[in-house]
Amino acid sequence: MNFNLQWTWFHRLGSPRWFYQQTQRWLPWLAVATLALLVTGLVWGLAIAPPDAKQGNSFRIIYLHVPASVVALAGYYIMAISGAVGLIWRIKLSFMLMRSAAPIGAALTFIALVTGAIWGKPTWGTYWVWDARITSMLILLFLYFGVIALRHTYSNNEAADKAGAVLSLVGMVNVPIIYKSVDWWQTLHQPATIKFTGAPSMHPDMFAPLVVMIIGFYSFYSLALILFARAEILRREYRASWVKQLVSNQPAEK
Amino acid sequence: MYFDSLQQLIWMNGHGIYVWSSFAISAVIMIGLVVKPLRQKQAAMRNIELQIKLQASKQAAKQKEVADAPHS
């Protein structure tokens, strides 16, 4: 049996060139889908959904806060798994995805923290408390910052990749802690609205736009990840002949 | 629509400032997440373009040197 033949798809998947050319076609569709989902979700959530009986209109911050948090956490898994795949199979593209995931994850975690703080003022009477959920999210932000910072501490790309992957994998311990923090410690942050088992603790009229926003944020995440990865590919594969050809073929692209 | 008027939508019974500031901050950050990689890509392309030109001019200079060399 030809072992090499079987694994060609796997190697093609890890080829920066293949990724760059494929995503060129996906980008416009993804951009349109993202924009449509986010606009629909926001108009629905901010203007159409009824206000919360206890929190009033301030609850509408949920339509940014929850999707940003959910995707910031999922993004950490994506970054850590990309790092692991890079370490195990030595796939360059995998490391590029890992590096691209870091700034997006950091930005989304920051959005989650800031919107949470703003939401806290009218609801809890304070912008910040050292609650278990909030503190573990802050640690997530620092883990993302760590992965971003590591790239600048090494002059060697490969060493920086490996260090980043190891840090992402070690930091993965924090993610389940964040998920469980509202159950383990009874503090100020309210328990999860959406559960994997059982119905959401939310009226369908309020829940539907939240689902649209979460899908929209996932779509946005993929879009941003692809854009960052494409820039990273050009930056690191500058010696490759296909990159040189690409650049000399379209010098007008500004 | 839940709100009766545009003013009410903006005011949101006093919560508008919280809701809309959250929205504005998120929007700015997310637009940044799209603009930044596009700029990085542009910069990378410009760098590669420069390198190609540099290489071409180096090669041309070399060829000229060979051509100008006195025949012996």
Side-chain angles (χ1 to χ4, degrees):
Chain A
M1 206 155 78
N2 193 339
F3 192 69
N4 283 331
L5 203 69
Q6 267 190 330
W7 283 88
T8 45
W9 66 269
F10 193 70
H11 285 292
R12 206 178 48 186
L13 214 67
S15 141
R17 181 185 187 178
W18 181 85
F19 181 88
Y20 195 92
Q21 286 166 349
Q22 281 298 310
T23 50
Q24 184 101 50
R25 258 172 277 161
W26 302 343
L27 274 176
W29 299 102
L30 202 54
V32 170
T34 303
L35 202 66
L37 282 164
L38 290 180
V39 168
T40 310
L42 275 175
V43 171
W44 197 350
L46 293 185
I48 298 167
D52 187 74
K54 280 187 209 145
Q55 299 186 6
N57 284 312
S58 70
F59 108 97
R60 294 179 196 282
I61 295 172
I62 202 173
Y63 296 114
L64 294 164
H65 180 71
V66 167
S69 315
V70 166
V71 180
L73 285 168
Y76 197 88
Y77 279 127
I78 291 169
M79 181 175 79
I81 291 167
S82 302
V85 169
L87 281 180
I88 298 165
W89 286 290
R90 296 166 182 272
I91 295 172
K92 250 192 295 183
L93 178 64
S94 192
F95 283 129
M96 293 173 183
L97 285 173
M98 177 193 81
R99 280 193 176 186
S100 307
I104 311 168
L108 290 176
T109 310
F110 184 75
I111 290 178
L113 284 167
V114 168
T115 54
I118 295 172
W119 194 2
K121 191 65 187 163
T123 315
W124 300 336
T126 175
Y127 286 110
W128 189 267
V129 277
W130 291 100
D131 154 283
R133 172 59 73 79
I134 301 169
T135 309
S136 51
M137 273 306 268
L138 190 65
I139 293 171
L140 185 78
L141 182 67
F142 292 150
L143 283 168
Y144 274 128
F145 282 164
V147 176
I148 296 170
L150 267 179
R151 82 178 290 163
H152 302 295
T153 54
Y154 288 87
S155 53
N156 179 342
N157 263 332
E158 276 168 46
D161 282 342
K162 280 180 191 161
V166 170
L167 177 63
S168 332
L169 284 168
V170 172
M172 224 157 103
V173 179
N174 188 37
V175 180
I177 295 178
I178 299 175
Y179 278 121
K180 284 282 163 196
S181 58
V182 278
D183 304 326
W184 290 344
W185 295 283
Q186 295 288 328
T187 46
L188 211 49
H189 196 286
Q190 66 189 55
T193 308
I194 309 162
K195 298 169 195 77
F196 287 113
T197 50
S201 60
M202 210 179 178
H203 192 273
D205 287 349
M206 297 171 167
F207 186 59
L210 185 60
V211 173
V212 175
M213 282 306 280
I214 291 175
I215 299 169
F217 264 68
Y218 269 114
S219 176
F220 172 82
Y221 184 87
S222 335
L223 180 73
L225 188 66
I226 288 173
L227 288 176
F228 269 100
R230 284 165 67 86
E232 187 77 20
I233 287 171
L234 286 190
R235 217 172 337 164
R236 286 173 68 169
E237 297 289 287
Y238 63 93
R239 285 196 211 93
S241 56
W242 72 268
V243 172
K244 283 183 185 163
Q245 217 159 23
L246 184 93
V247 173
S248 38
N249 281 354
Q250 46 188 144
E253 196 190 336
K254 282 277 138 74
Chain B
M1 176 135 142
Y2 168 75
F3 297 96
D4 296 326
S5 65
L6 190 69
Q7 262 160 334
Q8 275 190 346
L9 175 67
I10 294 166
W11 177 239
M12 286 193 178
N13 299 328
H15 284 158
I17 180 83
Y18 302 112
V19 176
W20 291 110
S21 63
S22 298
F23 173 78
I25 292 167
S26 307
V28 167
I29 293 172
M30 287 168 82
I31 290 167
L33 278 178
V34 171
V35 172
K36 197 178 178 208
L38 289 175
R39 285 209 181 143
Q40 284 179 347
K41 192 187 144 193
Q42 263 179 31
M45 283 197 138
R46 242 177 281 137
N47 265 341
I48 297 165
E49 226 179 299
L50 263 172
Q51 261 172 349
I52 292 171
K53 273 185 197 158
L54 203 75
Q55 234 169 12
S57 66
K58 260 187 194 171
Q59 223 156 26
K62 227 183 200 173
Q63 272 170 356
K64 201 170 171 253
E65 226 171 79
V66 173
D68 289 353
H71 299 282
S72 55

